Amino acid sequence: MRSPLIELLARELAPTDGRAQAVLRIAVACSITVAIAMVFQIPEPTYMAYIVFLCSKDDNSATVTTGVGAALAVTIAAVLNMGLLLIDTAEPALRLPAMALATFVGMYSIRISALGPVAYLAGFVVVLLQTVTDDISNPEALTRLGLWVWVVVVLPIVITVTLNLAFAPASKVLFGRTWHRILSELESGLRSGISRADLSLWREAAVPLLAKLNEAVARGESNLPTSPSAVERLLEVLTILEALPERRPGDADPTLPAEIALQRALAEMYEAANQPAGPPPAQPQPPKHKQLFVPDAFSNPTYWQFALKTTIAVMGVYITYTLLNYPTMRTSVVTCFFVALGSLGETVHKLTLRVSGAIIGGLVAGICIVWVLPHMTEIGQLCALVALVSAGAGWIATSSERLSYAGMQMAFAFFLGVLQGYAPATDLSLLRDRVAGILLGNIVITLVFSTLWPESSRTRLRSALTEALRAVSDLLAAPEKAGESRIRTAQALVQSQHYSELSAFELQMLPAETNRDTSELEGVRRVAGAAFVATSDAFTSRPDIRQSQISSARSAAEELSSEIAHVAATTR
């Protein structure tokens, strides 16, 4: 039997429909970007190539949105940087508070505002440019570098967006691929056997698919691969399966209420799937406008605590490498910006991926510097090498969040080592210092997040479990409004699974606590399955069975809710 790590790698790195094309677009965009940077000697080719990875998304609209947001952010950052250079070029007493303020505002904004990503990227660029002031004392050179940064960011965005608009599949195609993959795997599982892990993975893919289909229908798009109602029925099927033992061939008992509800849900799913997704209603509801700020933006202390922790980490690594006189370790600042996340589990998870990716990418870069680059004499050869390594890193980067960041970090570490200038890289010490900066940033951010106001993934897990039970209670109280409650339940189960996996990366975690969290999650899944069975349309004409099932599910939900609340109170 394979280890969990091998199982994870096998699942995440398996070929999927459209993955090779996405990797090819990333590799081509990176090679074109590097070629232009080398020909015109644009500063920071490393970051130019890495931006391709940052703005490459699953579909065209997401890529364009990311690109536009990044271009806006770097424009704001360039203007702010020009203003800061007028007052703090030769005065560290002003520059350090300005860097700290930019970091805090950017990190605070990303947690409280819809415009947070723009403020975050602008703050990151401002801080990075301010750190360069220590190495370039000439004001004119600093001004030119600040203006070049706009080109450094916008050029790879234009290349990536253009390639995606020209060759990437439309959103409808991506929807169809996801739908048919889940359906095919489900049908195969119903014949050969289904595990709890399969149900979680299918639900994880189906919940965002439902949201995207609803948005497409609201926009009036037609010829969609399936309807939102079919995906809703799919989520019902997946949750009802939670109420049954792990299915093996020949295990089905047609007399069980759960089996009856499952067969009814499957029939409704296929019926909805065979009907084309129609246009929106004649008088659709007006779209809900997103609020600029989250409701508790200025009352929830976790937001400013998160921003302050990241600011402390950023300033800590900056002061450390400045005192050590190692400006080439500036990658530690980049690391703190991109590793900082909401909970300790998320941060340590990303740390693990970033460190492993940095080591692998650094080793590949070192091998290329010693044995490959000395034999290269043309830009075309360099571009071929960049495309080859970018394709390997891109294959990992196009996996799920469980592994994707390792691929992005591999690419970044490789670019840091190979793209040192406009000639073949020969200095291994520069690669060493840059990788050391990545490790320094990871160590500092982990220490800060684990000691100052640590946010536990287990706390968020229990909040998600509580929300799932609340949705189950609403479902049992009003079966006639089952649609909304079932969707809320499925969404909460996906969040619960996410935080359950992240909790494995928590520091100072006891095995008993891990087992207890897993048991709570399994219990909530079973209760949700029982609630879906109890409110199934299959028992509309059998009120005796429905009432019995509802009473049983309600009792189990109340008992589990009390247990989770008690555990949460005793572990604070």
Side-chain angles (χ1 to χ4, degrees), residues 458-500:
R458 296 200 304 275
T459 301
R460 295 189 174 190
L461 167 61
R462 293 194 178 105
S463 296
L465 292 175
T466 302
E467 171 59 26
L469 290 175
R470 189 179 295 115
V472 165
S473 298
D474 293 342
L475 173 61
L476 295 173
E480 66 278 2
K481 300 179 181 179
E484 180 181 352
S485 298
R486 286 172 176 166
I487 294 172
R488 284 173 50 210
T489 303
Q491 292 170 339
L493 289 177
V494 170
Q495 288 294 316
S496 300
Q497 180 64 33
H498 173 68
Y499 289 121
S500 176

Side-chain angles (χ1 to χ4, degrees), residues 19-251:
R19 189 170 192 173
Q21 293 89 333
V23 170
L24 179 61
R25 290 194 301 272
I26 291 174
V28 172
C30 286
S31 60
I32 293 175
T33 299
V34 169
I36 295 175
M38 292 298 163
V39 169
F40 295 99
Q41 296 192 0
I42 301 175
E44 303 297 341
T46 292
Y47 293 98
M48 292 182 67
Y50 185 56
I51 286 170
V52 172
F53 278 80
L54 290 178
C55 67
S56 295
K57 303 299 178 182
D58 293 337
D59 58 84
N60 294 337
S61 60
T63 302
V64 173
T65 301
T66 302
V68 172
L72 176 61
V74 74
T75 303
I76 295 173
V79 174
L80 290 175
N81 184 65
M82 292 299 102
L84 290 174
L85 290 179
L86 295 176
I87 60 176
D88 68 2
T89 301
E91 187 52 65
L94 295 176
R95 186 166 69 252
L96 291 177
M99 292 170 58
L101 180 61
T103 304
F104 184 88
V105 171
M107 287 297 176
Y108 188 61
S109 299
I110 201 171
R111 295 293 296 272
I112 69 166
S113 174
L115 298 178
V118 174
Y120 162 78
L121 289 174
F124 166 68
V125 174
V126 167
V127 171
L128 200 61
L129 287 173
Q130 289 292 298
T131 63
V132 180
T133 306
D134 299 320
D135 307 328
I136 304 176
S137 56
N138 187 338
E140 181 180 354
L142 280 172
T143 302
R144 289 176 61 85
L145 178 61
L147 295 175
W148 267 116
V149 166
W150 192 87
V151 179
V152 167
V153 174
V154 173
L155 178 61
I157 288 175
V158 171
I159 293 172
T160 305
V161 170
T162 301
L163 285 175
N164 275 267
L165 290 176
F167 301 106
S171 300
K172 296 178 185 179
V173 177
L174 296 176
F175 297 163
R177 288 174 178 172
T178 302
W179 167 251
H180 292 301
R181 176 180 63 81
I182 299 173
L183 210 58
S184 174
E185 293 176 358
L186 174 62
E187 291 173 346
S188 176
L190 290 173
R191 292 191 298 268
S192 59
I194 298 176
S195 67
R196 302 297 179 201
D198 293 330
L199 297 177
S200 296
L201 291 173
W202 296 333
R203 190 183 297 112
E204 180 183 336
V207 165
L209 175 62
L210 176 60
K212 292 176 181 177
L213 284 173
N214 281 325
E215 292 174 359
V217 171
R219 291 193 299 265
E221 295 186 22
S222 57
N223 298 323
L224 295 174
T226 190
S227 63
S229 61
V231 182
E232 291 178 13
R233 298 288 79 76
L234 170 63
L235 290 172
E236 182 180 355
V237 168
L238 298 179
T239 309
I240 290 174
L241 284 168
E242 298 282 4
L244 292 165
E246 291 195 0
R247 292 175 68 91
R248 296 292 179 264
D251 284 350

Side-chain angles (χ1 to χ4, degrees), residues 96 106 203 326 344 352 490 523 531 551:
L96 291 177
R203 190 183 297 112
Y326 267 96
L344 179 60
T352 304
S551 299

Side-chain angles (χ1 to χ4, degrees), residues 424-549:
T426 58
D427 190 359
L428 285 175
S429 63
L430 183 58
L431 171 63
R432 176 203 63 198
D433 294 345
R434 290 178 169 180
V435 174
I438 294 173
L439 299 179
L440 172 64
N442 278 290
I443 292 172
V444 171
I445 200 79
T446 304
L447 290 175
V448 171
F449 272 67
S450 61
T451 54
L452 296 177
W453 307 295
E455 296 181 58
S456 174
S457 291
R458 296 200 304 275
T459 301
R460 295 189 174 190
L461 167 61
R462 293 194 178 105
S463 296
L465 292 175
T466 302
E467 171 59 26
L469 290 175
R470 189 179 295 115
V472 165
S473 298
D474 293 342
L475 173 61
L476 295 173
E480 66 278 2
K481 300 179 181 179
E484 180 181 352
S485 298
R486 286 172 176 166
I487 294 172
R488 284 173 50 210
T489 303
Q491 292 170 339
L493 289 177
V494 170
Q495 288 294 316
S496 300
Q497 180 64 33
H498 173 68
Y499 289 121
S500 176
E501 294 174 355
L502 288 177
S503 66
F505 292 90
E506 296 266 333
L507 297 180
Q508 303 175 348
M509 175 172 285
L510 299 176
E513 292 178 324
T514 302
N515 294 335
R516 182 166 55 193
D517 291 340
T518 302
S519 176
E520 290 172 353
L521 177 56
E522 292 175 352
V524 171
R525 287 174 178 165
R526 288 194 298 271
V527 169
F532 277 46
V533 171
T535 56
S536 170
D537 293 339
F539 304 115
T540 302
S541 60
R542 296 293 305 274
D544 53 335
I545 296 179
R546 164 165 286 186
Q547 190 57 43
S548 173
Q549 294 290 322

Side-chain angles (χ1 to χ4, degrees), residues 210-494:
L210 176 60
K212 292 176 181 177
L213 284 173
N214 281 325
E215 292 174 359
V217 171
R219 291 193 299 265
E221 295 186 22
S222 57
N223 298 323
L224 295 174
T226 190
S227 63
S229 61
V231 182
E232 291 178 13
R233 298 288 79 76
L234 170 63
L235 290 172
E236 182 180 355
V237 168
L238 298 179
T239 309
I240 290 174
L241 284 168
E242 298 282 4
L244 292 165
E246 291 195 0
R247 292 175 68 91
R248 296 292 179 264
D251 284 350
D253 182 355
T255 63
L256 290 176
E259 285 287 354
I260 297 173
L262 175 62
Q263 296 305 318
R264 178 60 177 266
L266 284 170
E268 292 177 346
M269 181 187 72
Y270 285 115
E271 181 181 357
N274 292 327
Q275 296 177 355
Q283 295 180 345
Q285 294 285 338
K288 295 182 179 180
H289 298 286
K290 291 185 178 180
Q291 295 181 345
L292 183 59
F293 297 102
V294 296
D296 58 346
F298 304 105
S299 60
N300 191 336
T302 59
Y303 299 145
W304 67 260
Q305 289 171 357
F306 167 76
L308 183 58
K309 286 187 290 188
T310 309
T311 303
I312 292 173
V314 169
M315 300 310 297
V317 298
Y318 171 72
I319 293 172
T320 299
Y321 78 70
T322 300
L323 292 177
L324 294 175
N325 195 26
Y326 267 96
T328 48
M329 293 175 65
R330 187 174 294 110
T331 49
S332 58
V333 173
V334 180
T335 298
C336 290
F337 267 92
F338 285 99
V339 170
L341 289 168
S343 69
L344 179 60
E346 290 173 300
T347 301
V348 178
H349 171 236
K350 211 164 191 179
L351 177 150
T352 304
L353 297 178
R354 191 174 181 94
V355 169
S356 58
I359 293 174
I360 296 173
L363 288 175
V364 173
I367 292 172
C368 291
I369 290 173
V370 175
W371 285 294
V372 180
L373 293 181
H375 303 286
M376 290 187 172
T377 58
E378 299 177 356
I379 292 179
Q381 295 172 331
L382 174 63
C383 292
L385 176 63
V386 167
L388 179 63
V389 178
S390 297
W395 190 271
I396 301 175
T398 51
S399 58
S400 74
E401 291 183 0
R402 297 176 181 85
L403 193 63
S404 61
Y405 203 76
M408 298 181 66
Q409 186 54 50
M410 286 174 56
F412 187 48
F414 172 77
F415 296 147
L416 285 172
V418 173
L419 304 178
Q420 298 179 13
Y422 309 110
T426 58
D427 190 359
L428 285 175
S429 63
L430 183 58
L431 171 63
R432 176 203 63 198
D433 294 345
R434 290 178 169 180
V435 174
I438 294 173
L439 299 179
L440 172 64
N442 278 290
I443 292 172
V444 171
I445 200 79
T446 304
L447 290 175
V448 171
F449 272 67
S450 61
T451 54
L452 296 177
W453 307 295
E455 296 181 58
S456 174
S457 291
R458 296 200 304 275
T459 301
R460 295 189 174 190
L461 167 61
R462 293 194 178 105
S463 296
L465 292 175
T466 302
E467 171 59 26
L469 290 175
R470 189 179 295 115
V472 165
S473 298
D474 293 342
L475 173 61
L476 295 173
E480 66 278 2
K481 300 179 181 179
E484 180 181 352
S485 298
R486 286 172 176 166
I487 294 172
R488 284 173 50 210
T489 303
Q491 292 170 339
L493 289 177
V494 170

